[in-house]
Amino acid sequence: MRRINELVAPHGLRGTSHRTGMNGPRKVHIKSFGCQMNVYDSHRMADTLAPEGFAETATPEDADLVILNTCHIREKAAEKVYSELGRMRVLKQAAARDGRRVVIAVAGCVAQAEGEEIIRRAPAVDLVVGPQSYHRLPALLARVGRGEGVVDTEFPVEDKFDLLAPPSRAATRARGVSAFVTVQEGCDKFCTFCVVPYTRGAEVSRPVAQVVAEVARLADAGVREITLIGQNVNAYHGDGPDGRPWTLGRLLERVAQVPGIARLRYTTSHPGDMEASLIAAHRDLPGLMPYLHLPVQSGSDRVLAAMNRRHTRADYLDTIARMRATRPDIAFSSDFIVGFPGERDDDFALTLSLVDEVGFAGAFSFKYSPRPGTPGAEMAEQVPEELKSDRLYRLQAAIDRNQASFNARCLGRSFDVLFEKPGRYPGQLVGRSPYLQPVQVMAAPSMVGEIAAVTITEISANSLFGTLADGPVRARPTLAAVEA
Ligand code: SF4
């Protein structure tokens, strides 16, 4: 296959890098929007382009190839992409005046949803590539190099995970000691507000062996913490080595055995898929962190039914209770949508009461905004914008109060912190508690990648501050009393 560093050269300069000379490295800038799955995908695109001669750059002005890895979840997602593409067009024109060709690609869920419309509305775009086709990037860029405008939003039969290049050790190390691994894509739930089933398709799970091999490679390069990710991760049902589908609980148990991996997390989960083996994993695996993101969206059964969430408030609370009985120190975060069509004051009051009943350690909350093509967008009784804003304000106040209370209970306690990188001040490192709180500690730079016991001495709105506790490094969190 031709290397693509000759294919994105300016017309008439094919094979010659304008900036770096013959066969010099080309640069790719990937801008990631949205969730962790897009961050992971961006890394895998960079990994797949590296053998083709592309080095990553943090600045688009510097790049020969710019990829916008887009998200369709937020309001007016497509319009935001088009406005970003306006900036990219200016950048492309400036480069052309210097005799340099910049290729503009759009990837991610907006690419999947909009397809050819993107090139029609933004002719500066050379390539539109959907999330299932990233392994084809070299071939697609070759077509771009031949002057084609290329759109690939298919769901190919081949498994992209078999074909995406693995990261180099250097790239893995540069990304830090905590890594995401996609184990599942797509969703079969069809919540009436959500575009994921349309943009990412039906649920597909990676085989256990493939996941374990990727985790082992990451561990070998120094990664200590793995977050298994998927749009509906706890619906995981990948083929196990015994030829049968494995649950996420079994997969976690297997991944926990990979040497070097000290911490495990997973996200994002559906409450209806918290099955027995997954709950048991929280009891049996010391490395599985006691912090679960479990979106509920609303506290009202009427609204949950309209959202097609397939669970009730009581189901959700029952799951929380079973998790707490299994792992007493577990804490929860969640997602909420306010102002879903038909949401009344009494529905919203139930959402507020749920926040206090669970005592979330954190949560994301949004005003409902209709996504074209979803059933929610067609529903009558859309809630006025001012009412949504008022409810969001009140909900966030309740969430903040609960989060502050959770953090306050951490004060004076000691728990294990995984040190990730230097902090803001000299001699300081920043790490993560078992509950994903950033913790600032004065510690030697050599401790990056280590897990050590830290006593929390101070809390602020967004961080904890602590000192290294005396005694040996412990292998598991010790914040058992936080929920007491
Ligand atoms: S379960 Fe999550 S990803 Fe699936 S449709 Fe509902 S909100 Fe979207």
Side-chain angles (χ1 to χ4, degrees):
M1 184 187 295
R2 279 196 295 170
R3 290 168 64 89
I4 17 177
N5 60 355
E6 69 179 286
L7 297 165
V8 295
H11 296 302
L13 289 174
R14 188 156 284 193
T16 303
S17 165
H18 182 72
R19 198 184 308 106
T20 55
M22 186 74 77
N23 294 325
R26 294 282 169 172
K27 292 187 177 172
V28 56
H29 172 78
I30 307 180
K31 183 165 181 179
S32 224
F33 300 83
C35 65
Q36 299 98 328
M37 297 204 64
N38 270 11
V39 174
Y40 175 86
D41 283 348
S42 293
H43 286 162
R44 300 306 303 266
M45 282 192 268
D47 298 335
T48 295
L49 291 168
E52 305 291 330
F54 278 93
E56 282 188 84
T57 174
T59 46
E61 293 76 13
D62 211 22
D64 304 284
L65 168 63
V66 175
I67 302 176
L68 302 183
N69 191 10
T70 62
C71 169
H72 211 303
I73 294 292
R74 297 279 180 273
E75 194 175 6
K76 300 192 178 77
E79 291 315 309
K80 284 175 186 160
V81 170
Y82 285 117
S83 102
E84 183 74 21
L85 285 172
R87 284 191 283 280
M88 292 304 124
R89 177 173 52 85
V90 173
L91 185 143
K92 183 170 179 153
Q93 287 167 342
R97 284 195 290 276
D98 286 347
R100 204 161 58 82
R101 184 182 179 196
V102 175
V103 168
I104 308 285
V106 179
C109 288
V110 175
Q112 187 69 41
E114 295 274 302
E116 287 179 8
E117 176 69 4
I118 293 180
I119 291 190
R120 198 186 65 71
R121 277 186 63 182
V125 172
D126 303 283
L127 170 63
V128 176
V129 55
Q132 301 309 321
S133 299
Y134 295 154
H135 58 293
R136 293 177 171 175
L137 267 175
L140 298 174
L141 286 167
R143 287 172 54 196
V144 169
R146 293 194 290 272
E148 286 182 56
V150 179
V151 177
D152 184 343
T153 52
E154 289 175 27
F155 284 78
V157 286
E158 72 268 18
D159 181 352
K160 69 174 176 182
F161 291 108
D162 280 337
L163 300 164
L164 286 163
S168 66
R169 278 175 70 87
T172 302
R173 283 177 183 274
R175 290 168 192 162
V177 297
S178 180
F180 300 126
V181 173
T182 291
V183 300
Q184 180 278 337
E185 288 189 305
C187 184
D188 296 344
K189 294 286 190 294
F190 289 91
C191 299
T192 52
F193 54 82
C194 184
V195 290
V196 164
Y198 310 100
T199 57
R200 293 276 181 155
E203 285 169 4
V204 179
S205 299
R206 295 175 70 186
V208 171
Q210 201 185 66
V211 172
V212 171
E214 185 170 336
V215 171
R217 255 197 321 271
L218 291 166
D220 187 49
V223 167
R224 305 294 317 279
E225 177 180 81
I226 295 287
T227 304
L228 303 181
I229 56 174
Q231 269 98 19
N232 190 6
V233 72
N234 57 344
Y236 178 84
H237 57 272
D239 289 341
D242 54 4
R244 297 193 174 156
W246 278 27
T247 62
L248 184 65
R250 284 191 80 185
L251 177 69
L252 283 161
E253 196 182 329
R254 177 63 190 87
V255 169
Q257 293 163 8
V258 174
I261 297 302
R263 286 183 161 191
L264 292 173
R265 304 179 188 274
Y266 59 92
T267 198
T268 293
S269 298
H270 188 280
D273 290 320
M274 291 304 301
E275 46 76 39
S277 80
L278 183 52
I279 295 178
H282 282 271
R283 179 194 61 214
D284 299 337
L285 302 178
L288 183 55
M289 292 293 96
Y291 189 55
L292 179 62
H293 184 66
L294 195 60
V296 63
Q297 310 298 1
S298 170
S300 156
D301 285 345
R302 226 176 54 79
V303 174
L304 289 171
M307 288 176 165
N308 191 33
R309 286 291 291 172
R310 307 170 190 221
H311 64 81
T312 63
R313 175 191 178 100
D315 295 335
Y316 186 84
L317 289 171
D318 180 59
T319 300
I320 297 280
R322 282 189 295 137
M323 299 289 302
R324 282 187 168 141
T326 306
R327 181 82 196 235
D329 61 345
I330 199 164
F332 298 93
S333 66
S334 197
D335 290 337
F336 291 92
I337 293 172
V338 296
F340 190 76
E343 184 190 68
R344 302 182 308 223
D345 284 345
D346 55 340
D347 297 311
F348 178 64
L350 287 165
T351 297
L352 283 181
S353 71
L354 185 81
V355 171
D356 288 334
E357 195 165 342
V358 176
F360 291 103
F364 301 100
S365 49
F366 309 94
K367 287 191 278 187
Y368 172 72
S369 70
R371 297 289 178 274
T374 59
E378 309 298 323
M379 287 180 183
E381 295 187 85
Q382 298 284 332
V383 174
E385 204 54 35
E386 320 80 71
L387 193 51
K388 286 187 208 170
S389 299
D390 176 64
R391 287 179 183 167
L392 185 65
Y393 178 80
R394 290 164 58 201
L395 175 62
Q396 288 181 341
I399 291 168
D400 289 350
R401 196 176 61 245
N402 278 278
Q403 182 172 357
S405 156
F406 180 81
N407 287 344
R409 279 178 277 150
C410 295
L411 194 61
R413 299 198 181 274
S414 175
F415 48 72
D416 289 348
V417 168
L418 169 59
F419 291 105
E420 293 185 340
K421 58 187 177 187
R424 195 180 302 167
Y425 302 106
Q428 193 181 54
L429 293 184
V430 57
R432 293 273 174 183
S433 77
Y435 303 97
L436 271 182
Q437 300 140 305
V439 185
Q440 322 268 353
V441 182
M442 299 304 285
S446 60
M447 289 190 72
V448 169
E450 286 191 29
I451 296 171
V454 168
T455 301
I456 303 304
T457 54
E458 198 183 331
I459 55 172
S460 73
N462 299 313
S463 279
L464 307 181
F465 298 83
T467 54
L468 287 172
D470 290 332
V473 170
R474 283 193 284 272
R476 59 171 293 160
T478 56
L479 194 56
V482 159
E483 291 300 317

